[in-house]
Structures are given as structure tokens and as C-alpha cells.
């Protein structure tokens, strides 16, 4: 399996969130549409943009409380329609809708000014770049050395408990009884948040092997001067497993990419 880890990672592609976009020498706008939740809305919006030679760069849609919301970054460089008429054209095509069109004063730059805050499953979140987190961790570890590593572990522990409780609440309406299934589904959801990419193997009812080809900790390792093992991820898996299984847990990191190995590997022992 080890030889296929890179191929496994390459099967995924990072998702571009509609936060900001830079396209030099292009005229970019943000379009936000609010409408009753019904089929065909994106098709109608796309039709208006196509007829007016407007290219969609990023599109994001979601439904909340019976309303549909669509946020789009678009390139209007080759269109002759102005912003007010574009707004009216969308409102005519997408009936009973509210439309906002916004353009930055900086040519070639667009960023989201029409929604706040970012949300995941109804909960507000903060989005941090890997480089920002790396700078924070680097300052902590350079100043506090081993004490900083202990802090990382406990930050991971509390994060794992918090995420496990969130996932259990998320899955509760579906009546999923199997702990193994919940455990795996939960780590798949965590993957989509950018924390870690995990391959889970249940050795038996008491032992779980988690192989981590990539995680936030391994990805930022090149920016962090003082680093020994994946302390945050170890703590995260311990808190996550402890909450999921409702048992005391022992977690060991037996392999680590920071030591030059191909992947990180954690062994989880469920006690009791």
C-alpha cells in the first residue's frame, strides 16, 4: 500500500472556496442571488451569464430555511452589459429573486463582501491559511520548545473532542448504530475541513490503525523550525476516538513523515 500513497493523495483535488480571486487584466464581479429553493435556478442564472458573454470562475450554492443562495465570481471582461442591467437581467430570468452585483475598485481582483460569516453545517467558522497557522506554531515552538509541543497535544485533544461531538450530533438523525461506521464517516468529514487525510483499518474491536499520508501538521512542517512528531494530530485522534468510543484511549505514533517516513501511522488502543 505504501507505494500508492502519493497516487491516493493525487485522487483528491483542493476545493476553491469563494473567498478571493486574482485574475490580472480581467474585470471581475461578485454576484449573489437569493431565491426560493426550487430546481433549475442555477441553469437559469448560467443562461443569463452565457448570453451576456460572462464566464463563471467560481460558483457556490447552498440551501437554508427554504431559501436558495448562489454566490458567483465571474469574469465580465468580454460583456457589454453594465452591472445594473446585469442585475435586472438575472431578476427577470430567475423570478422572485433578490440579486446583488459587486465589483472591486481594483481591476483583476474580486473578493466576497456579500456574505458573512463562513458556515459549516450551520456553525460559524474561521478560515486560516496553512502559512498563517505555520507562523503561529513556529512562534510558539521556538519560544516554548517542548512545552509548546505539549500545548499542541492538548490543543489537538480538545479539538478532537469538539469535532467528535459535532459529528455525533450531525449523524444522530440517521440512526447509525455502528461505532466503526461513525468513526470512519467522521474522519472523512474532518478530511474535507483540511485537518488530515486518513486511511482507517480496524485491526479488531480494541485496536485501530490510522495511516495519515497528509495532515495540516505534515504540510506545514517545512515552515516550522522546532518540531518533533505530529503532536496536534496525535492529540486530535486521541480526543476524537475517546469521544467516539466513550472509552479511555491510548494513541501511539509509530511512523512520522517528519522523520523521513512515507506517511504517519497511529495505533489506537481502546481500553476497557
Amino acid at each position: 500500500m505504501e507505494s500508492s500513497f502519493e497516487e491516493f493523495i493525487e485522487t483528491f483535488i483542493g476545493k476553491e472556496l469563494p473567498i478571493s480571486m486574482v485574475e490580472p487584466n480581467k474585470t471581475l464581479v461578485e454576484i449573489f442571488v437569493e431565491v426560493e429553493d426550487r430546481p433549475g435556478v442555477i441553469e437559469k442564472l448560467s443562461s443569463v451569464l452565457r448570453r451576456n458573454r460572462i464566464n463563471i470562475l467560481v460558483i457556490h450554492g447552498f440551501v437554508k430555511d427554504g431559501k436558495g443562495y448562489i454566490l458567483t465570481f465571474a469574469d465580465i471582461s468580454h460583456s457589454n452589459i453594465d452591472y445594473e442591467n446585469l442585475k435586472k437581467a438575472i431578476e427577470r430570468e430567475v423570478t422572485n429573486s433578490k440579486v446583488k452585483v459587486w465589483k472591486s475598485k481594483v481591476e483583476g481582483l474580486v473578493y466576497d463582501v456579500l456574505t458573512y460569516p463562513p458556515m459549516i453545517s450551520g456553525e460559524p467558522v474561521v478560515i486560516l491559511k496553512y502559512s498563517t497557522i505555520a507562523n503561529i506554531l513556529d512562534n510558539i515552538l521556538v519560544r516554548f520548545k517542548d512545552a509548546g509541543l505539549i500545548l499542541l497535544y492538548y490543543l489537538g485533544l480538545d479539538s478532537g473532542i469538539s469535532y467528535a461531538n459535532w459529528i455525533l450530533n450531525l449523524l444522530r438523525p440517521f440512526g447509525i448504530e455502528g461505532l466503526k461506521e461513525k468513526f470512519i464517516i467522521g474522519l472523512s468529514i474532518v478530511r474535507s475541513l483540511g485537518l488530515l487525510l486518513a486511511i482507517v483499518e480496524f485491526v479488531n474491536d480494541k485496536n485501530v490503525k490510522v495511516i495519515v499520508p497528509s495532515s495540516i501538521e505534515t504540510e506545514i512542517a517545512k515552515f516550522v523550525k522546532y518540531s518533533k512528531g505530529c503532536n496536534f494530530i496525535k492529540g486530535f485522534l486521541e480526543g476524537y476516538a475517546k469521544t467516539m468510543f466513550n472509552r479511555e484511549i491510548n494513541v501511539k505514533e509509530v511512523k512520522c513523515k517528519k522523520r523521513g517516513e512515507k506517511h504517519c501511522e497511529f495505533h489506537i488502543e481502546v481500553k476497557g
Side-chain angles (χ1 to χ4, degrees):
M1 182 181 283
E2 291 189 6
S3 62
S4 65
F5 281 144
E6 290 184 2
E7 295 176 3
F8 177 70
I9 295 173
E10 288 173 358
T11 62
F12 297 97
I13 184 169
K15 56 178 176 281
E16 189 70 32
L17 300 176
I19 306 298
S20 65
M21 179 166 283
V22 176
E23 292 284 342
N25 304 316
K26 292 184 179 180
T27 304
L28 308 180
V29 296
E30 177 182 17
I31 302 168
F32 187 72
V33 179
E34 176 185 334
V35 66
E36 290 181 4
D37 179 28
R38 62 177 187 265
V41 172
I42 292 178
E43 180 184 3
K44 289 183 177 181
L45 173 61
S46 300
S47 178
V48 174
L49 301 183
R50 176 180 53 78
R51 290 199 303 268
N52 288 281
R53 302 177 66 198
I54 296 173
N55 185 34
I56 295 173
L57 302 176
V58 174
I59 186 166
H60 174 74
F62 60 97
V63 175
K64 182 180 180 181
D65 299 328
K67 293 282 188 179
Y69 301 90
I70 304 169
L71 187 154
T72 303
F73 289 167
D75 174 14
I76 63 169
S77 304
H78 303 291
S79 179
N80 294 321
I81 195 170
D82 60 40
Y83 311 135
E84 186 59 33
N85 283 320
L86 173 59
K87 176 179 179 293
K88 291 178 180 178
I90 295 171
E91 288 175 336
R92 281 195 304 270
E93 187 78 18
V94 184
T95 56
N96 299 317
S97 64
K98 296 178 182 178
V99 180
K100 297 178 182 178
V101 180
W102 177 84
K103 179 185 178 298
S104 166
K105 293 181 180 179
V106 180
E107 195 74 6
L109 170 67
V110 66
Y111 45 93
D112 178 22
V113 300
L114 301 179
T115 68
Y116 177 85
M119 309 279 285
I120 296 175
S121 297
E123 291 196 27
V125 298
V126 174
I127 300 171
L128 294 176
K129 298 186 298 180
Y130 275 8
S131 58
T132 301
I133 298 172
N135 288 334
I136 294 170
L137 294 185
D138 195 31
N139 285 326
I140 290 173
L141 295 176
V142 167
R143 291 177 185 178
F144 300 107
K145 301 294 191 295
D146 285 354
L149 296 176
I150 295 170
L151 175 62
L152 277 184
Y153 164 78
Y154 280 106
L155 286 173
L157 184 72
D158 288 343
S159 297
I161 293 170
S162 176
Y163 274 110
N165 282 319
W166 172 61
I167 287 162
L168 288 171
N169 286 330
L170 195 69
L171 297 179
R172 187 166 288 114
F174 302 99
I176 300 171
E177 297 296 334
L179 287 175
K180 293 180 180 180
E181 188 176 2
K182 289 180 183 178
F183 189 91
I184 293 171
I185 290 173
L187 284 185
S188 295
I189 295 173
V190 167
R191 178 188 68 210
S192 71
L193 300 174
L195 284 176
L196 75 159
L197 178 60
I199 303 169
V200 180
E201 178 186 341
F202 281 85
V203 179
N204 52 49
D205 289 341
K206 298 289 186 180
N207 293 277
V208 185
K209 180 165 69 174
V210 180
I211 295 173
V212 181
S214 176
S215 74
I216 185 172
E217 210 159 0
T218 59
E219 292 303 312
I220 67 175
K222 59 186 176 182
F223 302 108
V224 180
K225 300 181 184 68
Y226 189 89
S227 181
K228 299 177 181 178
C230 290
N231 298 275
F232 178 86
I233 297 300
K234 180 179 184 291
F236 181 91
L237 289 173
E238 184 172 329
Y240 177 82
K242 179 179 180 180
T243 307
M244 280 288 181
F245 295 120
N246 195 27
R247 294 285 188 277
E248 289 302 313
I249 298 293
N250 182 45
V251 177
K252 293 181 180 179
E253 185 179 21
V254 297
K255 293 183 180 180
C256 186
K257 287 182 75 172
K258 293 181 181 180
R259 299 194 291 263
E261 293 169 295
K262 290 184 178 180
H263 61 272
C264 299
E265 183 175 323
F266 298 86
H267 291 179
I268 300 174
E269 179 187 2
V270 182
K271 297 182 178 180

